[in-house]
Amino acid sequence: MKTMYKSDLARLAGVSASTFRRYLNSRRDVLAEMGVSPRAQMLPPRAVRFVVEDYCIELPEKFR
């Protein structure tokens, strides 16, 4: 898993940035435990893995 921009994850999920932001706000406590600030533009690999599994995002091979 690689570090990814929130906007890239939203695009891969097929949702708008605002919809994805609302989803992330609902998981704020978990992401905060991983050290992710609500204002962060990029998510570290551990947070990317959580979001991908929780939101059921299918990552292309180049992002794995």
Side-chain angles (χ1 to χ4, degrees):
M1 209 58 56
K2 296 181 179 180
T3 299
M4 292 184 69
Y5 284 101
K6 290 178 182 178
S7 59
D8 290 337
L9 286 168
R11 191 172 345 100
L12 290 170
V15 298
S16 68
S18 61
T19 298
F20 195 69
R21 193 170 31 254
R22 282 193 304 272
Y23 156 74
L24 291 176
N25 282 336
S26 72
R27 304 299 193 268
R28 184 178 295 186
D29 56 338
V30 176
L31 293 171
E33 288 178 14
M34 294 180 193
V36 178
S37 162
R39 294 194 178 270
Q41 292 182 13
M42 295 189 82
L43 296 177
R46 198 167 104 189
V48 171
R49 181 180 312 276
F50 169 76
V51 169
V52 165
E53 290 174 359
D54 190 54
Y55 204 75
C56 300
I57 299 173
E58 190 68 35
L59 288 181
E61 193 63 36
K62 68 179 183 179
F63 290 111
R64 294 183 191 176

